[in-house]
Coordinates of all heavy atoms in Angstrom, one line a residue:
I837 N 13.6 -17.1 2.2 CA 14.9 -17.0 1.5 C 15.8 -16.0 2.1 O 17.0 -16.2 2.1 CB 14.6 -16.6 0.0 CG1 13.7 -17.6 -0.7 CG2 15.9 -16.4 -0.8 CD1 14.2 -19.0 -0.6
V864 N 19.6 -24.5 -4.6 CA 19.7 -24.7 -6.1 C 18.7 -25.8 -6.5 O 18.0 -25.7 -7.5 CB 21.1 -25.0 -6.5 CG1 21.2 -25.4 -8.0 CG2 22.0 -23.8 -6.3
N867 N 15.2 -24.8 -6.7 CA 15.0 -23.6 -7.6 C 14.7 -22.4 -6.8 O 13.9 -21.5 -7.2 CB 13.8 -23.9 -8.5 CG 14.1 -24.9 -9.6 OD1 15.2 -24.9 -10.1 ND2 13.2 -25.8 -9.9
A901 N 23.7 -7.1 -12.4 CA 24.7 -6.0 -12.1 C 24.9 -5.7 -10.7 O 25.9 -5.3 -10.2 CB 24.4 -4.8 -13.0
L974 N 52.0 -7.6 -5.2 CA 52.9 -8.7 -4.9 C 52.6 -9.9 -5.9 O 53.6 -10.4 -6.4 CB 52.7 -9.2 -3.5 CG 53.6 -10.3 -3.1 CD1 55.1 -9.9 -3.2 CD2 53.3 -10.7 -1.6
R1013 N 65.3 -13.0 -6.0 CA 66.4 -12.2 -6.6 C 67.7 -12.9 -6.5 O 68.5 -12.9 -7.4 CB 66.4 -10.8 -5.9 CG 67.4 -9.9 -6.6 CD 67.7 -8.6 -5.8 NE 68.4 -7.7 -6.6 CZ 69.7 -7.8 -7.0 NH1 70.4 -8.9 -6.7 NH2 70.3 -6.9 -7.7
D1050 N 35.0 0.9 5.6 CA 34.0 0.8 4.5 C 34.2 -0.5 3.8 O 33.6 -0.7 2.7 CB 34.2 1.9 3.5 CG 33.9 3.3 4.2 OD1 33.0 3.3 5.1 OD2 34.5 4.3 3.8
D1122 N 49.0 -8.6 22.6 CA 49.0 -9.4 21.4 C 50.0 -8.8 20.4 O 50.7 -9.5 19.7 CB 47.6 -9.5 20.8 CG 46.7 -10.3 21.6 OD1 47.2 -11.1 22.4 OD2 45.4 -10.2 21.5
E1124 N 52.6 -6.9 21.0 CA 54.0 -7.1 21.4 C 54.4 -8.6 21.2 O 55.5 -8.8 20.7 CB 54.1 -6.8 22.9 CG 55.5 -7.0 23.4 CD 55.7 -6.7 24.9 OE1 54.8 -6.0 25.5 OE2 56.7 -7.2 25.5
D1162 N 68.5 -0.2 19.5 CA 69.9 -0.5 19.1 C 70.0 -1.5 18.1 O 70.8 -1.4 17.1 CB 70.7 -0.9 20.4 CG 70.9 0.2 21.4 OD1 70.7 1.4 21.1 OD2 71.2 -0.2 22.6
V1283 N 48.8 21.1 28.8 CA 48.7 22.4 28.2 C 48.0 23.4 29.0 O 48.3 24.6 29.2 CB 48.0 22.3 26.8 CG1 47.7 23.6 26.2 CG2 48.9 21.4 25.9
E1328 N 47.1 25.9 46.2 CA 47.1 26.1 47.7 C 47.9 27.3 48.1 O 47.5 28.1 49.0 CB 47.6 24.8 48.4 CG 47.3 24.8 49.9 CD 45.8 24.5 50.2 OE1 45.1 24.1 49.3 OE2 45.4 24.8 51.3
G1330 N 50.1 29.2 45.7 CA 50.6 30.1 44.6 C 51.8 29.6 43.9 O 52.7 28.9 44.5
P1356 N 38.9 15.6 57.0 CA 38.8 15.0 58.4 C 38.3 13.6 58.4 O 37.6 13.2 57.5 CB 37.8 16.0 59.0 CG 37.0 16.6 57.9 CD 38.0 16.7 56.8

Side-chain angles (χ1 to χ4, degrees):
I837 300 302
V864 170
N867 291 319
L974 183 58
R1013 192 193 186 288
D1050 297 326
D1122 291 339
E1124 181 183 340
D1162 290 344
V1283 171
E1328 194 71 20

